[in-house]
C-alpha cells in the first residue's frame, strides 16, 4: 500500500482552504435565493445514454472525456461531466413543469471530465450552475446573465471580467448557418488542422473556436452564425442586448463563440478572466430550446450557465491569506482533575452553541496556549489545579491580551454573554 496517491487532476481541498470554498458557496446560495432559484441535487452518475444524447456525440466531452464504466448489472454509467442534461432528465422524470411555467433550479458540486490536467483544468472540478426551464422570453436570458454578473462581479468582486455574447440560431436558421460555413470550409479543408477536418463532418460549428493559428486565419473570413440568423432569432438577440443595456451590463459580441456542447440554440455567452492564462473561461452558458424535446419531453425552451469554482478561486485576489475572525473558547488545563472539569464545561458550552476546544495530549500550559493561538479562539479559559480548589478560573481575552480571575460558578453564563456581545 506504499505510496498511494490521489488521482491526477483530482485535487484535495485541504482544511486550510475549505473555509474559502464554504464562503464561495454561502455567497452563491444567498444570491441565488434572491433571484428565486431553488437547489436541485441530482446523482453524481447517470446512464451513459443521457450524456451521449444530451451533450452530443460529436463533442470532445462525449468522444473522449467521459468517465464511463459498466456496473455489476451490466449497465453503462457515467460520472456526470456537466449538470444540464441531468437537470433536464429530473425535470421530465418528476413532471416539474406542472409546478410552475418557469422552473428555476441551481446545483453545486463536482463534475468529471478526463481532460489533460493543467492550471485551471482538472478531471474533477466544481460547478455552480443554474437552469431556467419553460420560457423563451429574452427577459429570462437577461435575468440569467444579470445573475451571473452579479455573482462574479458584485459578490465575488473579481476585477476586469469580460462578458462575451453571441447567438447561434435555432432549427429555422441553423441549416443555412451550417450550409454557408460548410461551403466555405470544404473549399479550404486542406488548410484546416486534422482535428477540424474531422469536425467538418461531425460538429462544424466547433471549427469557429479552434485555437490553431491556421484555422483561426480561415475563421476570420468565414461566414458566422450571426450573419445568417432568421428574423425571429435576430429579433430575440436584439431584445436580449437591449435589456442588458438597460441593466447596464457590459458585453462584447463574439461571433465565434459557439461553446463545446451541442444542445445550444440562440443566446450563448461566456465570462472570461483575461488574467488567468489558457483556461480563462470562468463561466459559460446559453439557451437550449431543443434539448427537452430531444430528450423525449414536450417542446420546452430553457437557458442556464455554469461557473467553474476552481477558476473563481484562482481569480479572487489574496483570498488564501485572509484570516478568519477569532472565535470561541479554548480550555487550557493543568492536571487530570482540571481536565475533567474542562471536559464538563466544554460539553455545556458546545451544547449552547459555542465553538470549544481542549487539549487531549497533556501538553504544557505553554504548549496549550500556543495551540489556542493557532486555533484562532477569542478566549482562553485556564483551569489550574490549585485555582479550582478555590472555585476560581482565569479568563484570557486573546484579542486584547488581557486576563482576569473569575469565579468558576457562573463562568459559562459569562462566556455566553461575551460571545453574544462579540457577534452583535
Ligand atoms: P461548460 O462551458 O462546459 O458548460 O462549463 C462551464 C464552466 O465550468 C467553464 O467555464 C469552466 O469554468 C468550468 N470547467 C469546465 N471544465 C473544466 C475543467 N476540466 N476544469 C476546471 N473547470 C472546468 C457547461 O458545463 C454547461 N452545462 C453550462 C450550462 C448550463 N449551459 C446551460 N446551462
Amino acid at each position: 500500500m506504499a505510496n498511494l496517491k490521489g488521482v491526477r487532476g483530482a485535487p484535495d481541498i485541504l482544511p486550510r482552504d475549505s473555509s474559502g470554498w464554504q464562503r464561495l458557496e454561502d455567497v452563491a446560495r444567498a444570491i441565488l435565493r434572491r433571484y428565486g432559484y431553488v437547489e436541485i441535487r441530482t446523482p453524481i452518475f447517470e446512464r451513459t445514454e443521457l450524456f451521449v444524447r444530451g451533450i452530443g456525440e460529436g463533442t470532445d466531452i462525449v468522444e473522449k472525456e467521459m468517465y464511463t464504466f459498466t456496473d455489476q448489472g451490466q449497465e453503462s454509467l457515467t460520472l456526470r461531466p456537466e449538470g444540464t442534461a441531468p437537470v433536464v432528465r429530473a425535470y421530465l422524470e418528476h413532471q416539474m413543469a406542472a409546478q410552475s411555467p418557469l422552473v428555476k433550479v441551481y446545483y453545486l458540486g463536482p463534475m468529471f471530465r478526463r481532460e489533460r490536467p493543467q492550471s485551471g483544468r482538472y478531471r474533477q472540478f466544481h460547478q455552480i450552475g443554474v437552469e431556467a426551464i419553460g420560457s423563451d422570453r429574452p427577459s429570462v436570458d437577461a435575468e440569467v446573465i444579470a445573475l451571473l454578473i452579479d455573482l462574479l462581479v458584485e459578490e465575488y468582486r473579481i476585477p476586469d471580467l469580460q462578458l462575451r455574447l453571441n447567438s447561434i440560431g435555432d432549427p429555422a436558421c441553423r441549416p443555412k448557418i451550417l450550409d454557408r460555413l460548410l461551403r466555405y470550409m470544404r473549399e479550404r479543408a486542406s488548410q484546416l488542422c486534422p482535428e477540424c477536418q474531422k469536425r467538418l463532418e461531425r460538429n462544424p460549428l466547433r471549427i469557429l473556436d479552434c485555437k490553431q493559428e491556421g484555422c483561426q486565419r480561415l475563421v476570420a473570413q468565414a461566414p458566422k452564425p450571426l450573419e445568417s440568423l432568421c428574423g425571429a432569432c435576430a429579433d430575440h438577440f436584439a431584445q436580449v442586448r437591449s435589456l442588458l443595456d438597460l441593466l447596464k451590463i457590459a458585453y462584447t459580441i463574439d461571433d465565434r463563440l459557439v461553446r463545446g456542447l451541442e444542445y445550444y440554440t440562440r443566446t450563448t455567452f461566456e465570462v472570461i478572466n483575461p488574467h488567468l492564462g489558457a483556461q480563462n473561461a470562468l463561466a459559460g452558458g446559453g439557451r437550449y430550446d431543443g434539448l427537452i424535446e430531444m430528450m423525449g419531453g414536450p417542446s420546452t425552451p430553457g437557458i442556464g450557465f455554469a461557473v467553474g469554482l476552481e477558476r473563481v478561486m484562482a481569480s479572487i485576489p489574496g483570498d488564501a491569506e485572509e484570516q478568519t475572525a477569532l472565535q470561541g473558547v479554548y480550555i487550557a488545563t493543568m492536571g487530570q482533575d482540571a481536565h475533567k472539569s474542562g471536559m464538563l464545561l466544554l460539553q455545556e458550552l458546545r451544547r449552547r452553541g459555542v465553538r470549544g476546544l481542549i487539549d487531549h495530549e497533556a501538553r504544557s500550559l505553554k504548549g496549550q496556549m500556543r495551540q489556542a493561538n493557532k486555533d484562532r479562539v477569542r478566549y482562553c479559559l485556564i483551569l489550574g489545579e490549585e485555582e479550582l480548589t478555590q472555585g476560581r478560573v482565569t479568563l484570557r481575552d486573546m484579542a486584547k491580551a488581557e486576563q482576569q480571575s473569575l469565579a468558576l460558578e457562573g463562568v459559562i453564563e459569562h462566556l455566553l454573554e461575551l460571545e453574544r456581545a462579540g457577534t452583535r
Side-chain angles (χ1 to χ4, degrees):
M1 290 287 279
N3 224 349
L4 268 186
K5 289 201 170 151
V7 175
R8 208 160 92 87
D12 295 302
I13 295 172
L14 296 172
R16 60 160 191 257
D17 299 321
S18 58
S19 64
W21 279 80
Q22 285 169 0
R23 260 201 309 281
L24 286 191
E25 293 167 5
D26 292 347
V27 163
R29 287 183 196 280
I31 186 175
L32 286 160
R33 196 176 55 76
R34 297 204 293 277
Y35 271 80
Y37 283 81
V38 284
E39 187 178 11
I40 183 167
R41 300 188 188 193
T42 63
I44 295 288
F45 53 30
E46 298 272 356
R47 286 177 218 268
T48 302
E49 186 62 19
L50 174 75
F51 298 116
V52 174
R53 275 176 48 196
I55 299 171
E57 271 177 284
T59 59
D60 287 350
I61 296 181
V62 170
E63 260 184 18
K64 47 191 183 207
E65 294 171 359
M66 296 206 302
Y67 282 98
T68 296
F69 60 98
T70 308
D71 81 351
Q72 289 81 344
Q74 301 311 308
E75 196 159 26
S76 178
L77 303 175
T78 293
L79 299 186
R80 63 178 188 198
E82 61 104 50
T84 310
V87 166
V88 166
R89 180 205 42 77
Y91 171 87
L92 289 173
E93 193 169 329
H94 304 288
Q95 283 110 33
M96 288 166 67
Q99 293 158 20
S100 164
L102 181 61
V103 169
K104 304 204 306 190
V105 292
Y106 78 88
Y107 48 88
L108 198 163
M111 306 288 161
F112 306 85
R113 297 183 193 175
R114 198 176 187 291
E115 299 194 76
R116 198 170 47 77
Q118 63 182 82
S119 171
R121 195 207 264 156
Y122 306 95
R123 290 175 170 176
Q124 174 177 291
F125 57 98
H126 296 78
Q127 286 185 343
I128 295 181
V130 312
E131 312 296 345
I133 304 178
S135 171
D136 62 359
R137 298 283 172 134
S139 59
V140 180
D141 304 47
E143 191 186 68
V144 163
I145 294 172
L147 161 59
L148 175 59
I149 297 302
D150 266 3
L151 174 65
L152 297 177
V153 178
E154 301 296 321
E155 300 293 329
Y156 292 159
R157 306 215 155 270
I158 304 173
D160 303 332
L161 295 182
Q162 298 166 5
L163 169 63
R164 298 192 182 160
L165 193 65
N166 194 17
S167 176
I168 58 172
D170 68 359
C173 43
R174 188 67 62 79
K176 186 168 154 208
I177 290 170
L178 290 180
D179 186 55
R180 289 189 62 201
L181 181 65
L182 280 172
R183 250 188 296 144
Y184 173 91
M185 287 297 176
R186 281 201 181 118
E187 276 170 24
R188 298 160 179 83
S190 60
Q191 299 170 50
L192 289 169
C193 74
E195 195 62 26
C196 282
Q197 294 193 358
K198 280 192 243 154
R199 286 183 180 136
L200 206 48
E201 302 313 319
R202 261 178 282 172
N203 191 0
L205 274 185
R206 248 1 267 273
I207 300 175
L208 292 180
D209 72 356
C210 179
K211 304 284 179 290
Q212 301 287 332
E213 224 177 276
C215 299
Q216 290 223 340
R217 238 178 290 126
L218 281 187
V219 164
Q221 305 302 322
K224 309 292 186 321
L226 263 189
E227 299 156 11
S228 308
L229 293 184
C230 61
C233 286
D235 182 48
H236 189 275
F237 194 49
Q239 289 190 53
V240 173
R241 292 181 57 176
S242 93
L243 284 166
L244 290 176
D245 294 339
L246 173 80
L247 298 174
K248 299 199 166 47
I249 293 172
Y251 56 83
T252 51
I253 300 292
D254 178 352
D255 59 6
R256 301 178 186 192
L257 178 65
V258 292
R259 315 259 311 117
L261 305 101
E262 273 174 17
Y263 48 63
Y264 291 111
T265 52
R266 292 191 164 176
T267 316
T268 54
F269 52 93
E270 273 183 8
V271 176
I272 305 294
N273 178 352
H275 306 302
L276 272 195
Q279 303 303 318
N280 61 5
L282 287 196
R287 278 210 157 270
Y288 43 87
D289 292 348
L291 178 61
I292 291 154
E293 192 171 8
M294 210 257 297
M295 303 226 309
S299 167
T300 312
I303 180 168
F305 65 73
V307 178
L309 285 181
E310 282 76 7
R311 296 183 192 173
V312 165
M313 240 348 162
S315 302
I316 294 181
D319 193 58
E321 285 103 64
E322 198 179 294
Q323 293 276 20
T324 48
L326 299 186
Q327 208 195 18
V329 182
Y330 189 99
I331 299 199
T333 62
M334 282 166 288
Q336 278 187 11
D337 288 343
H339 195 263
K340 284 185 186 154
S341 306
M343 299 271 292
L344 201 58
L345 282 173
L346 261 191
Q347 185 185 50
E348 178 73 14
L349 281 169
R350 287 168 175 163
R351 284 182 177 169
R352 298 183 68 171
V354 177
R355 171 181 184 245
L357 301 165
I358 195 165
D359 166 68
H360 291 286
E361 317 298 326
R363 274 183 286 191
S364 67
L365 184 60
K366 210 166 143 198
Q368 292 181 57
M369 297 305 281
R370 216 178 288 132
Q371 188 62 44
N373 252 321
K374 269 201 210 157
D375 288 332
R376 300 195 57 75
V377 290
R378 175 67 203 263
Y379 300 103
C380 215
L381 200 61
I382 305 162
L383 311 188
E385 211 104 11
E386 213 153 287
E387 264 187 300
L388 270 184
T389 58
Q390 295 158 20
R392 298 198 71 79
V393 295
T394 300
L395 178 67
R396 185 173 174 81
D397 183 328
M398 306 294 276
K400 297 184 182 153
E402 290 168 3
Q403 61 185 47
Q404 53 174 322
S405 171
L406 296 173
L408 175 60
E409 191 164 332
V411 76
I412 293 221
E413 288 306 327
H414 186 73
L415 276 167
L416 287 170
E417 187 47 44
L418 287 173
E419 277 274 309
R420 275 196 290 270
T423 55
R424 267 204 292 268

